[in-house]
Amino acid sequence: MNPEQLSRLGFAEHWQAVWQARPDAVPARLARVDRSRAVAWSVDQVFEIDLALYPGKYDLTVGDWLLLEVTDGVALPLERLPRHGCIQRRAAGERADQQLIAANLDTLFIVSSCNTDFSLERLERYLALALDAQVEPVIVLTKMDQCDAVQDYVGPASALSPGLRVEAVNAKDPASVEVLNAWCGAGQTVALVGSSGVGKSTLINALCDDEQDTQQARDGDDKGRHTTTARSLHWLRAGGLIVDTPGMRELQLPGCEDGLDALFEDVVGHLGQCRFNDCAHQGEPGCAIAAAIDSGALSQRRWQSYEKLQREQAQNARSIAERNAHDKTLTRSYKRYQREARGVKGRRS
Ligand SMILES: Nc1nc2c(ncn2[C@@H]2O[C@H](COP(=O)(O)OP(=O)(O)OP(=O)(O)O)[C@@H](O)[C@H]2O)c(=O)[nH]1
Ligand SMILES: [Mg+2]
Ligand SMILES: [Zn+2]
């Protein structure tokens, strides 16, 4: 297999060792994952995979790498290669679960528009996910052509984190989108995230040769119509790969303490400086947070946002951990039940 083609598809050097243990297996990357079926790309073939054949089917996402056993054109997944750069959120709804968005990413394009979609807190949520996964975040502000004061969006977004890259574009104009090519070269994998209607699929159409469906957002509140309904992988014209995702209605943080600490490094720096170790930052004397807000070193908005997101991630981390522990107990009791049932049957016959 041509190693250059393999690295163009994003295959990382450190997976060679795993592959070497199964030299006949074909490495392939998941381009789509549906309920019962997935599509995987090897360097020269497209495989349809029946997920009923794979016990870890709930643990697969677009961008994952699999080792396949291919017999007469039929692909059987043997194992998933260990991930890096995996973006996940707390699944929407009652069930306390993590939902995988995309794996093995280098860059996350966090897309928002220069209109009422723009929200610093939402950008902070995405930034925390990216930093937690050690994926480089880039904020892409679309619809600059429909806005007279682009700097009013670029300025506050840039202030969210030192060194953060923020690019304003007209997603419908390929020349304007060219600035994004810096993250789109061969071997690179990017994912697009953002609300419905911000122009994720329009960006794909400008950056790739594919044609994705797009649909006009509503007049008045700029809300999109949830045009894209599944995640999918696409070849970028610049040589890399990009994942389109459906617009998210809700972005609840999973446990991502490291990501929040990285994003709010300045806030965390103040936290250790209060006079009392157990300061609740609610008017206690010698509170460093109050002092930083008074002096203008820290904005009230940023502090409140940190507190809210920190509380949310801690609570979700706890409920997800409890749920996983509960699932494990269920699996154990089910296995015991099976063993006992077999034992009973065995004695009868
Ligand atoms: N004028 C202008 N229109 C844009 C821009 N970006 C996107 N649009 C329009 O906004 C609408 C929504 O774009 P989509 O690409 O479908 O949005 P999406 O983020 O993929 O939405 P979902 O698939 O629903 O998540 C389309 O009518 C696009 O043509 C832009 O930069 N400028
Ligand atoms: Mg779309
Ligand atoms: Zn304090």
Side-chain angles (χ1 to χ4, degrees):
M1 200 166 293
N2 182 335
E4 195 186 319
Q5 281 180 319
L6 203 55
S7 72
R8 259 169 57 87
L9 201 53
F11 191 84
E13 206 46 50
H14 62 264
W15 290 323
Q16 285 288 353
V18 189
W19 183 23
Q20 232 108 73
R22 300 182 188 260
D24 295 333
V26 177
R29 192 151 196 201
L30 285 176
R32 251 190 110 102
V33 180
D34 298 325
R35 206 176 291 260
S36 57
R37 200 188 73 99
V39 175
W41 298 347
S42 72
V43 293
D44 51 9
Q45 262 179 294
V46 174
F47 294 103
E48 281 223 5
I49 296 171
D50 178 357
L51 289 179
L53 302 173
Y54 185 61
K57 64 178 173 177
Y58 297 114
D59 184 37
L60 292 178
T61 191
V62 170
D64 266 332
W65 275 92
L66 296 176
L67 291 179
L68 304 176
E69 180 186 282
V70 181
T71 326
D72 300 329
V74 177
L76 180 74
L78 298 173
E79 68 178 292
R80 172 175 64 70
L81 295 176
R83 301 186 171 111
H84 57 260
C86 181
I87 298 291
Q88 44 194 332
R89 65 168 174 172
R90 181 196 192 274
E94 294 286 295
R95 215 181 129 95
D97 260 339
Q98 312 254 92
Q99 183 192 22
L100 302 167
I101 310 288
N104 302 318
L105 302 176
D106 301 289
T107 309
L108 188 69
F109 284 168
I110 300 171
V111 189
S112 180
S113 300
C114 299
N115 59 28
T116 59
D117 175 74
F118 186 85
S119 147
L120 290 176
E121 190 196 304
R122 178 154 1 89
L123 293 177
E124 282 169 337
R125 285 170 183 266
Y126 284 117
L127 285 169
L129 296 189
L131 295 175
D132 204 68
Q134 295 180 320
V135 170
E136 183 186 358
V138 177
I139 293 187
V140 181
L141 298 174
T142 56
K143 311 198 185 183
M144 69 178 288
D145 53 304
Q146 297 180 332
C147 164
D148 302 327
V150 174
Q151 202 45 41
D152 290 355
Y153 297 91
V154 174
S158 305
L160 290 175
S161 174
L164 175 63
R165 292 292 297 266
V166 179
E167 303 292 347
V169 299
N170 169 2
K172 287 163 77 164
D173 173 10
S176 156
V177 169
E178 250 171 41
V179 291
L180 301 180
N181 279 336
W183 294 276
C184 297
Q188 294 293 304
T189 308
V190 185
L192 292 160
V193 288
S195 319
S196 176
V198 293
K200 299 178 295 299
S201 300
T202 308
L203 282 168
I204 298 249
N205 292 344
L207 293 165
C208 307
D209 291 323
D210 301 29
E211 190 58 42
Q212 286 286 100
D213 286 344
T214 65
Q215 220 183 152
Q216 217 169 359
R218 293 196 309 221
D219 283 343
D221 65 3
D222 303 313
K223 290 240 186 323
R225 296 165 196 271
H226 293 278
T227 310
T228 304
T229 54
R231 295 187 288 275
S232 54
L233 194 63
H234 306 264
W235 279 108
L236 287 154
R237 225 176 283 120
L241 290 156
I242 192 164
V243 181
D244 194 6
T245 67
M248 287 186 201
R249 286 190 174 84
E250 182 192 8
L251 177 59
Q252 275 268 322
L253 294 179
C256 62
E257 192 165 17
D258 292 348
L260 278 182
D261 282 356
L263 177 61
F264 290 96
E265 214 181 348
D266 53 333
V267 181
V268 175
H270 293 302
L271 279 177
Q273 310 292 319
C274 300
R275 185 180 306 158
F276 302 118
N277 280 341
D278 61 347
C279 183
H281 325 298
Q282 284 171 347
E284 289 93 331
C287 175
I289 296 297
I293 292 172
D294 282 346
S295 73
L298 176 63
S299 74
Q300 181 80 25
R301 187 208 70 80
R302 194 165 167 80
W303 165 245
Q304 282 173 344
S305 186
Y306 169 76
E307 265 205 307
K308 176 175 175 190
L309 297 179
Q310 177 58 32
R311 220 178 303 123
E312 175 182 313
Q313 78 80 29
Q315 194 176 2
N316 285 338
R318 242 187 338 266
S319 53
I320 291 168
E322 275 165 19
R323 160 142 212 121
N324 288 344
H326 176 70
D327 284 356
K328 258 199 207 120
T329 320
L330 274 186
T331 314
R332 266 201 304 270
S333 30
Y334 178 67
K335 281 195 178 144
R336 195 173 54 232
Y337 164 79
Q338 278 187 319
R339 263 198 315 274
E340 284 169 8
R342 271 200 302 272
V344 169
K345 248 196 263 162
R347 277 199 295 279
R348 269 197 200 132
S349 58

